[in-house]
Amino acid sequence: MLEVVLLFSAVAHAQSFDKLRLSLPLREFKINSGFGNRTHPVSGKKNSFHSGVDLHARSDSVFSILPGKVVRVSFNPLIGNYILIIHGGFTSVYGHLSKFMVVEGDFVGSGSAIGISGNTGRSTGEHLHFGLKHNGKFIDPLRFLYLFANLEERALLTVLSD
């Protein structure tokens, strides 16, 4: 897992195409829990689907990964205070926030601060839940970040407009 963290730290912040730049959701990127089936840390249920990744955070600024439009700033009993941002065919989800720094309808750039990490909703402690949907279906956000960081501009624009 350390290799993944180093890869993202080295590559993701460096990737940019003219006005399109990838940002990580946090300045420091440490994975607490990955995408997919796991034993749920609160309920203990085995093979519980985790729709994103949980990232270590302590009252840290949370950033939009790509330019987009904020479509929801709300509360959910499971992911607590959360923000949804649409980036073409993709939607990013940022959960368990303690503070919002955007409102619905805002347009944000890559790396724009959108909130502060927290411990809201059903959680075992402060962290950031980061999820990503493509055309309404959750995908592994780590794979997306890796692929994004390694795409050429034309391929990237095709993926984002899909």
Side-chain angles (χ1 to χ4, degrees):
M1 202 58 91
L2 178 60
E3 302 83 32
V4 172
V5 173
L6 294 175
L7 170 71
F8 288 129
S9 294
V11 176
H13 279 293
Q15 182 69 318
S16 65
F17 302 109
D18 294 330
K19 297 175 185 164
L20 189 58
R21 179 175 58 90
L22 172 70
S23 174
L24 292 177
L26 294 168
R27 280 193 185 93
E28 303 224 357
F29 202 83
K30 180 180 174 191
I31 301 161
N32 289 346
S33 184
F35 177 82
N37 289 332
R38 67 176 184 172
T39 299
H40 194 280
V42 175
S43 70
K45 181 181 175 190
K46 296 195 183 303
N47 293 318
S48 177
F49 181 72
H50 188 223
S51 63
V53 293
D54 290 341
L55 303 173
H56 177 84
R58 295 291 180 265
S59 299
D60 294 323
S61 294
V62 176
F63 306 102
S64 176
I65 61 164
L66 291 165
K69 182 179 181 182
V70 177
V71 293
R72 188 162 304 126
V73 175
S74 191
F75 176 82
N76 173 286
L78 298 178
I79 64 169
N81 294 327
Y82 72 97
I83 296 171
L84 295 179
I85 301 175
I86 293 207
H87 323 273
F90 292 86
T91 304
S92 56
V93 181
Y94 309 84
H96 302 297
L97 303 175
S98 65
K99 180 179 179 183
F100 300 125
M101 298 169 72
V102 293
V103 296
E104 290 179 14
D106 281 354
F107 287 92
V108 295
S110 297
S112 294
I114 59 170
I116 303 294
S117 65
N119 186 22
T120 59
R122 193 162 87 172
S123 170
T124 59
E126 185 176 348
H127 68 284
L128 173 67
H129 173 84
F130 172 59
L132 196 61
K133 288 183 176 182
H134 179 250
N135 294 329
K137 181 180 177 192
F138 281 105
I139 62 171
D140 185 341
L142 297 182
R143 288 182 151 212
F144 173 84
L145 291 173
Y146 176 80
L147 291 173
F148 185 109
N150 291 289
L151 282 178
E152 293 183 13
E153 182 175 10
R154 189 173 0 163
L156 176 60
L157 292 174
T158 300
V159 167
L160 289 176
S161 65
D162 182 14

